[in-house]
Amino acid sequence: MTTITRFAPSPTGRLHVGNIRTALHNWMLARKAGGRFLLRIDDTDAERSKEEYVEAIRADLAWLGLSPDGEERQSARLAIYEQAFEALKAAGRVYPAYETQQELELKRKIQLGRGLPPIYDRGALKLTAEERAAKEAEGIAPHWRFKLDHDEAITWEDGVRGAQKFDPAQLADPVIRRADGSWLYMLPSAVDDIAMGVTQVLRGEDHVSNTAVQIQMFTALGTQPPAFAHEALLVGKEGKLSKRLGSLGCDAMREKGIEPEALVAMLARLGTSLPVEPVADRAALIDTFDLTTFGRAPAKFDDTELERVNTAIVHAMDFAAVAGRLPDGMDAEAWHAIRPNLGVIADAGEWWQLVTGPIAAREFDADTRAYLSEAASALVWNNTPWQDLTAALKESTGRKGRDLFLPLRQALTGMDHGPDMAELLPLIGESEARARLQNAAQG
Ligand code: GLU
C-alpha cells in the first residue's frame, strides 16, 4: 500500500514554525516510504479563509522545498461532504440540534456546578418530531451533531503516543455542521482522508480527541481508519514561542537570513531523540526520520539554536547554491574565503568590500609604518603571496605572532579580524595590495 500523507492547513494566516514542522514531518514520512505527500487547503470557513494565505502557503512550501504531490481544496468539495452527511443521517449517525450558544453555556455551567464533565447532554435526541417541527416553525434552523457510538471504547495505536483509549461516553457529540449549512472541521477532514486514500495522519497532539471522534466517523462511513500519530507541541524556551523567530513566517525568517535548509534540519529532529545537527542533505534527514524517536514532552524551539544551525549551514554552502545572492563579481574563491565569517549570506557584501575597497583608513605609529613600508617592498606576487610575505617579514624583522600579522591585516583590510588572509590577499590583487600597504605606511 502506498503511503499517503497530507498537510492540511487552514488558510487563515501565515504558516509558523509549528505548522511548518507538521508539514515537514508529513513530507518526510511520505518521502521515506516512497509515497505521496498531499497539500489539503482546509478552507471551509469562508469568512476567515483568504486567498492571499493560500498563495503564501504554497510559496512557503516551495521555499522550504516541500513540494506536494497533489493539492486539494475543501471549498471545492462541498458536494462530497453533503453526500457523506446524507449517508450518516440516513444511518442515524447525525442529528439536528437546536440549542443556542447561551443555552449550551448554561447547561455547561450547571454540569460543572454539579461536578460533572461538561459534555453535551444529547437534549436534542430527546425531542419528539412535534417538538422539532415546532422549533423549525419558529424559524430556528438546526445545527448538526455526529452521534458517537457509546458501546465500545475507541482505541488506536498512536505512532508517537503508543496505545490510546477513549471512552466515547466521555466525549461530546461534535457539532459537524452549522445552522447556515457551513461545515466545521471534523467531518470534511475524515471524508477527505478517505477520498484521498490517506494512510497516515500525522498532526499535533491538540488533535488527539478529534482523532477519537474521527475514528468513529471512518467506521460509520464504512472504512478502516488510517494510522494516526500525534506529536508533542512545539513550545519556546520559556514556554511560549518567541516573538523573535518562533512566531515568524517564512518570509520574515528569510529576511533575517534563515536558510530553509537550517529550518528543515532543525525541525526535522527537534523533539526527537536524535541530535539537531546542521545537516543540509535532505536524504540523510529522511533516512533517519522515525516516529519512534519522537518524545512525549513538548519540543523546545530555541532561536539561538536555529541561528547556530543556520550559521553552520551557511558555512558549508557551495558557491553554486548561493551565486545568485552574492554581490557582483564575487566568485567561488571569494565565497570560499568569506563564507567562514558569515552569520547570514546577506553579510557577504560587507566582507566582499574588503576586497573591492574602499577600506576603512587606520592610523599606525611610526614603528608600524616602517614595518608596513618594508612589507610593501617585500610583497612578491605568486601563488602564495601571503605565506611568502609573512615568512620573509618574519625573517627580516624578527616579528612574530600578532606583531607580525595584525598590522598587515589592518593595513590590507582596515579591520582587526576577518577572512583568512591567505585566501583574501590573492583576491585583493597585487597592485591594490601594494597600494594599501604603501598608503598605510605613509600614515
Ligand atoms: N485544518 C486543520 C488544522 O489546521 C487540520 C488538522 C488535521 O491535520 O487534520 O488544525
Side-chain angles (χ1 to χ4, degrees), residues 127-179:
L127 295 176
T128 61
E130 291 76 46
E131 284 168 325
R132 281 205 299 273
K135 296 267 183 203
E136 285 176 31
E138 271 176 60
I140 306 175
H143 53 274
W144 299 85
R145 288 185 185 263
F146 176 74
K147 189 177 167 208
L148 288 166
D149 174 358
H150 285 185
D151 289 347
E152 247 180 86
I154 305 166
T155 60
W156 76 92
E157 189 58 35
D158 192 286
V160 173
R161 300 162 62 85
Q164 301 291 296
K165 187 170 181 177
F166 275 81
D167 174 3
Q170 299 301 312
L171 300 169
D173 289 341
V175 176
I176 57 168
R177 195 171 196 182
R178 298 187 191 86

Side-chain angles (χ1 to χ4, degrees), residues 6-11 19 22 26 40-43 74 185 189-190 193 201-204 206-207 210 214 228:
R6 87 298 195 274
F7 172 50
S10 307
N19 30 49
T22 306
N26 276 289
R40 188 184 83 201
I41 304 289
D42 281 7
D43 58 350
Q74 292 198 320
Y185 154 75
S189 179
D193 286 337
V201 172
L202 170 61
R203 55 192 178 189
D206 49 332
H207 283 287
N210 291 342
Q214 284 173 332
F228 285 96

Side-chain angles (χ1 to χ4, degrees), residues 7 15-28 64 66 202-205 231-235 263 266-272 289 294-295 297-301:
F7 172 50
L15 301 182
H16 55 76
V17 288
N19 30 49
I20 292 169
R21 174 169 171 254
T22 306
L24 172 66
H25 292 170
N26 276 289
W27 180 83
M28 292 173 90
L64 291 158
L66 309 179
L202 170 61
R203 55 192 178 189
E205 68 179 11
E231 42 190 34
L233 298 182
L234 203 55
V235 297
L263 199 55
M266 172 143 159
L267 294 177
R269 297 217 176 139
L270 200 63
T272 74
F289 184 76
F294 280 72
K300 289 215 167 72
F301 180 87

